[in-house]
Amino acid sequence: MTEKYTMPDARGHFGPYGGMFVAETLIPPIQELNAAYQRYLQDPDFISELDADLQHYVGRPSPLYYAERWSRELGGAQIYLKREDLNHTGSHKINNTVGQALLAKRMGKTRIIAETGAGQHGVATATVAARLGLECVVYMGAVDVARQSLNVYRMKLLGATVVAVESGSKTLKDALNEALRDWVTNVDNTFYIIGTVAGPHPYPAMVRDFQAIIGRETKQQCQDMIGKLPDALVACVGGGSNAIGLFYPFIEDESVKLIGVEAAGDGVASGRHSAPLCAGRPGVLHGNRTYLMADDDGEIIETHSISAGLDYPGVGPEHAWLKDTGRAEYVNITDNEALEGFYALTRMEGIIPALESAHAMAYTMKLAPTMRKDETIVINLSGRGDKDMQTMAKREGIEL
Amino acid sequence: MSRLASTFEQLAKSGRKALIPFVTAGDPTPDFTLSLMHEMVKAGVDVIELGVPFSDPMADGPVIQRASERALAHKMSLTKTLALATEFRKADQQTPVVLMGYLNPIEAMGYEGFANAARRADIDGVLTVDLPPEEGEQCAALLKERDIDTIFLLAPNSTDERIQKMSALGSGYLYYVSLKGVTGAGHLNAADVENKLKQIKAITSLPVGIGFGVKDAETAKTISSLGDGVVVGSALISKIESNLDNPERAKSEIIGLLSAMRQAMDK
Ligand SMILES: Cc1ncc(COP(=O)(O)O)c(C=O)c1O
């Protein structure tokens, strides 16, 4: 890929992927959003307000931390962690919600809705809504409400209404369906903050642009700390926002390997997983064409993952494109492997990662030993593990 | 002339409006849907919209969501919906059948494979909720080559420009979604519909069917008088849902409601 990377095209296509596959009622608000986004992206006042929020409210730049002990232990490449877990609210999700909330304010919208899986995006949305004094409704699958109850409580504390979605598989995809239904009903005053690089155009491009701060900082920090580009970037992929945020500023740097880690649940061969790029097929869901977990009839298959934030049958269309072109590589990690990654980082570095991020840790444990000691891996530590304490304790048979 | 075009032409000549029921194929069983289709024709409906069940019906309210779930519980699919339409056609060569659903089952079959299968099943029109004209040209062209109409949705917030686009690319009829919301919603406003229909009619010469939120005979009469036909879905399907232990009663309640609508509309 020697040419300049300019995806998506004006209509939101990444090659055959992406696009704007929605019911007619949503076309006008999506066009309105796209116009606002194109305009404010160029607007110096908007950019400086966003930068100030990212610095003073989110706490950016997030550190790039050299995991010296873990690197030595694994005996190969040097490992650096991009500390998105240290952001306000504990994950990368807030980079995007701060940006979209500023847009909502500029557009005069008074009501915010969101979908959430692990609850991190829901918390990040409820947080910015509280700060701007906007009404906030978060849709969350009933299964996720149960396994991420701490985040449900946080959202409620922040003044959001959390709606438990009982339809379909009662997880993230169903929360997205329900949020779309809300949006279609309340288009006039409502801004839908999608939490990942999925949905109809312009969401995949817009969320990427808000998350790309991760990669831009990483590039600068690598320059400052090691004086060169890293050799590989590793990030977990649910919808794909933390991964694309890290990858995007490096896409034209061909020497840098981009590796996305999907959730293999009980193992890809078992069929019980959430790895559409590794084991799915192209189709259309939630407004875009991408790789999906679907059966021969085109019905969406239920997904499985220990981490609620990766439990999604689709993936951002840009990842589909990066896979097909070979620019990025997508691998998968099972629940059990992710747990090993979780314990390793906790014990080796004193950092408890989110179960989502633990998938990236687990893959790095396989990758690093195959690389030379003078090579460098940057892992996106997309979130902290506080929200997963109940899940982990329960697995260990401990009542909290 | 297509079945849809001639149906609307004959209705217009006799000064009547189209009564268009929507039912989900295979809810609760394919046999039920087949016999219901024939009985609805006897009750005086003009076009049948046959819902293709989908796992993630994003534009539908709870009633039609659950209809999809009931159908999918016994593995109803696009292929089986086409088989159902083929069965129906054996005994009824008059009544137009329109498939209504979401894009992914069609993507899985492939556009060309789908267009061929729809032709073989003698389908008259295809309405795909999440396929707006921007993304839908290829599919519409393949269907048109096979004399199948593509029906587009119009919404309360559709601009003149979009109405024009849909009018140019669509055929058979246009489906006006009468409110901002999902199917089965309860906030239909006749005055709003009347205003919007004036705007739409000034732009298109295609017939306009109006749906979403029509629950009783009076509303069917009022709403249909504003366009060329009325689509009724959730009100029928809720009768299936409330009589799951007694399909014959579900059928007779549906026929009762449709007959009342027909009478009110023809008065
Ligand atoms: C900490 C963390 N990482 C990753 C994800 C997955 O989302 P994405 O793939 O969009 O980064 C989530 C989603 O909830 C999350 O909370």
Side-chain angles (χ1 to χ4, degrees), chain A residues 84 92-93 95 195-197 207 211 214-215 234-248 310 319 356-357 360 379-383:
Chain A
E84 293 300 303
H92 70 292
K93 296 286 180 187
N95 302 328
T196 190
V197 283
V207 175
Q211 291 292 3
I214 302 173
V234 180
C236 67
V237 176
S241 68
N242 87 87
I244 209 78
L246 179 62
F247 295 173
Y248 182 60
L310 304 184
H319 287 292
E356 289 78 14
S357 323
I379 317 173
N380 198 353
L381 177 45
S382 56

Side-chain angles (χ1 to χ4, degrees), chain B residues 49 100 127 151-154 173-177 209 211-212 231:
Chain B
E49 286 187 359
M100 180 164 179
L127 195 171
I151 289 119
F152 285 105
L153 296 174
L154 290 174
Y173 60 102
L174 292 170
Y175 184 138
Y176 177 61
V177 174
F212 278 40
V231 186

Side-chain angles (χ1 to χ4, degrees), chain A residues 149-168:
Chain A
S149 57
L150 200 65
N151 272 342
V152 174
Y153 181 62
R154 285 169 86 194
M155 289 184 265
K156 287 182 179 165
L157 272 182
L158 290 159
T161 304
V162 180
V163 180
V165 178
E166 297 283 353
S167 58

Side-chain angles (χ1 to χ4, degrees), chain A residues 84-122:
Chain A
E84 293 300 303
D85 61 319
L86 294 178
N87 293 340
H88 180 40
T89 70
S91 82
H92 70 292
K93 296 286 180 187
I94 191 128
N95 302 328
N96 169 48
T97 60
V98 161
Q100 289 199 49
L102 285 184
L103 262 186
K105 203 173 80 174
R106 292 281 201 289
M107 291 170 72
K109 303 290 180 184
T110 55
R111 182 171 175 271
I112 299 283
I113 59 171
E115 85 294 337
T116 197
Q120 287 304 101
H121 174 60

Side-chain angles (χ1 to χ4, degrees), chain B residues 168-224:
Chain B
L169 196 59
S171 58
Y173 60 102
L174 292 170
Y175 184 138
Y176 177 61
V177 174
S178 60
L179 49 80
K180 292 174 187 157
V182 293
T183 51
H187 51 278
L188 180 60
N189 180 319
D192 291 348
V193 175
E194 186 170 6
N195 284 331
K196 193 69 187 183
L197 257 290
K198 281 192 191 128
Q199 181 195 353
I200 294 170
K201 281 292 187 180
I203 294 172
T204 187
S205 54
L206 285 174
V208 181
I210 307 171
F212 278 40
V214 178
K215 294 195 166 80
D216 53 50
E218 250 342 276
T219 319
K221 179 186 170 64
T222 315
I223 292 299
S224 65

